[in-house]
Amino acid sequence: MKIIVATKNANKIREIREIFSPLGFEVVSQTEAGIDIDVEETGDTFEKNALIKARAVSLVCDDYVLADDSGLCVEALDGRPGVYSARYAGEGASDSDKITKLLGEMQGVDNRRAKFMTSVAFIMSDGTELVTSGEVCGRILLQPEGENGFGYDPVFFSDELGKSFAVATPEEKNSVSHRSRALRALYVKLKQLEETEQ
Ligand code: ITT
């Protein structure tokens, strides 16, 4: 099954491909599909924003479309940056700018608990919409550790892996990540749908 992924984030595409290709999906980015649209993420939840992105791309193609909206929710910051994770340090800010801002806000804060969250929206060619979510718990490190991954990975210490997501290999991150959990839940829903249609 061919799926167009409604994102401009190359790291998300890489991870979605790593997780979904072995399950038999052909993962094509919106850029590879020649779709050049910018969507304003006006929702106040990951679920709403994932649907906004998926619907916008679904309107201009006949293929199955998947969108991922995700972010880091820090307990001591009342869940921020949350849905604003990409824009936390301003439009166009680098990953290291975002990390610097986060570590600044977290200076002297004892409660470092945080979670990554993802909602995935999937739209089928007949218009059927499926939404699933995933999360992974951990804590914010005092300083960045590791070079792998992207975004906030260097300062996110995964409870389950016992290391930062940027020290973890891609396989290790994918074995527990918010994104892989949301995608696996989607896979289960797709299989159930397939079975009820047979
Ligand atoms: P699209 O909207 O085009 O998909 P985006 O990067 O703007 O790309 P989001 O609006 O979902 O995507 O923003 C999520 C931000 O949260 C992302 O830019 C990263 O900074 C961060 N993030 C999401 N998943 C992450 C992960 O697995 N590891 C580290 N940081 C992550």
Side-chain angles (χ1 to χ4, degrees), residues 6-9 12 15 41 53 68-72 83 85-86 95 98 116 150-153 165 173 178-179:
T7 179
K8 291 194 165 173
N9 183 324
K12 280 189 188 175
E15 290 192 0
E41 295 176 33
K53 291 189 265 192
D68 158 318
D69 198 66
S70 42
L72 179 68
V83 291
S85 293
D95 286 347
K98 289 183 251 185
F116 270 124
F150 69 100
Y152 300 90
D153 281 345
F165 265 0
K173 179 181 173 187
H178 49 316
R179 181 161 296 108

